[in-house]
Amino acid sequence: MTAGVVRPVGVDELKRAWAAAQAGEFRQAPGRSSRRRSDGQAWHPDGHAVPVIGCLGQCGASTFALALAGEAGAARVVECCSASASGLAGASTAELGVSANGWTRGRRGEVTLARTGHILSGPDSLPLPDPDPALTVLDVGWEVGAALESSGWLGEYLHTAALVVAVTTATVPGLRRAETALALLGAERVVVVVVGAERRRWPAHVSAELGHRLRVRERDGLLLPVPLDRRAASRAPGWAPPSAPLRRAAATVLRHLDAGNLTERNGSC
């Protein structure tokens, strides 16, 4: 096989590409459609619904999803991931059986939990959530880009939800991934929860990673630092009641959800 000719890439071009990636500006590959494929499946919740998505693994997204539903009172969490990636399998204190749509249901206090009992190849395979008028918190267990590009109901809803919660960590990788997530999701409708040290205790090299979109979220009170609970962090979600800072962050998200006009009030990013 004859090797193709490879054009040398200069240092300046590499620097521009790196800066664009950090800013969330991506050039599509030639010939790739700019529109996401869709199988036409859509989900219309009976009440309010808010997706909670982690910007990177083990950042505490499932823990925040539980706290958000618990703060709302009678609510439910729908865990949108394969059974092999479940973080809520042990969170129920009572099991309620399998629903008609194939969700394994449980209860923790006033909160209903729904998770799939099947190994899924991707978000396209998720069954539709069961009808329920209560607040629905979608615990999105897929990478942001994969979830947005999926053709099923979850991808459709992520594109249309009025409010999305992105959870990340107060680390260099966590803030970089959060900036990219804001670019993909549309920053003006996203509340960012940052788990780690208190904001004033962030090291200078971490604070330096706040990109433009994150700085606008912080300016508008939509970047919510939550101190890490080290005892709870090493255990499964739901092991302990949510901490006071976690509950305050959840209450802030619920206030914005009730307001329903993040874009109009805070302006586009």
Side-chain angles (χ1 to χ4, degrees):
M1 183 175 66
T2 303
V5 177
V6 179
R7 179 179 66 84
V9 179
V11 173
D12 289 343
E13 186 173 353
L14 287 173
K15 287 181 177 179
R16 287 195 299 272
W18 174 251
Q22 294 306 300
E25 299 166 2
F26 306 101
R27 184 177 61 188
Q28 287 189 316
R32 182 176 177 181
S33 171
S34 61
R35 293 188 61 83
R36 179 178 56 88
R37 61 189 175 85
S38 173
D39 62 8
Q41 189 181 38
W43 173 61
H44 303 287
D46 299 303
H48 281 313
V50 55
V52 175
I53 190 163
C55 296
L56 69 172
Q58 304 298 312
C59 63
S62 293
T63 297
F64 187 79
L66 276 176
L68 183 59
E71 192 66 18
R76 67 169 172 171
V77 177
V78 177
E79 187 181 43
C80 303
C81 68
S82 173
S84 57
S86 175
L88 299 181
S92 299
T93 55
E95 294 298 331
L96 303 177
V98 179
S99 74
N101 284 358
W103 292 95
T104 300
R105 300 173 66 248
R107 182 172 291 281
R108 183 179 185 85
E110 293 185 272
V111 176
T112 301
L113 307 176
R115 65 187 190 278
T116 180
H118 302 287
I119 305 299
L120 306 179
S121 60
D124 300 352
S125 304
L126 283 166
L128 281 169
D130 299 302
D132 194 322
L135 169 69
T136 297
V137 180
L138 301 175
D139 180 13
V140 182
W142 307 94
E143 186 270 332
V144 178
L148 281 168
E149 286 297 307
S150 63
S151 63
W153 68 266
L154 180 60
E156 291 290 332
Y157 193 74
L158 279 173
H159 279 271
T160 58
L163 183 147
V164 179
V165 178
V167 182
T168 193
T169 57
T171 62
V172 169
L175 295 184
R176 287 179 177 176
R177 293 282 292 271
E179 185 73 14
T180 299
L182 288 175
L184 294 173
L185 291 165
E188 68 278 357
R189 64 194 180 113
V190 180
V191 177
V192 183
V193 174
V194 186
V195 180
E198 296 178 12
R199 177 67 179 92
R200 60 189 176 87
R201 297 185 182 277
W202 287 9
H205 68 274
V206 172
S207 293
E209 291 299 328
L210 280 173
H212 169 70
R213 295 176 181 85
L214 284 170
R215 290 186 184 279
V216 172
R217 297 291 86 191
E218 183 174 43
R219 181 200 69 192
D220 293 338
L222 298 172
L223 188 148
L224 310 176
V226 174
L228 177 66
D229 185 338
R230 296 192 180 277
R231 286 200 316 143
S234 63
R235 297 177 180 266
W239 169 76
S243 64
L246 195 60
R247 291 190 62 185
R248 285 196 294 271
T252 299
V253 170
L254 290 175
R255 285 197 297 273
H256 287 299
L257 182 64
D258 288 338
N261 60 345
L262 283 176
T263 303
E264 294 177 2
R265 184 175 63 253
N266 294 304
S268 174
C269 299

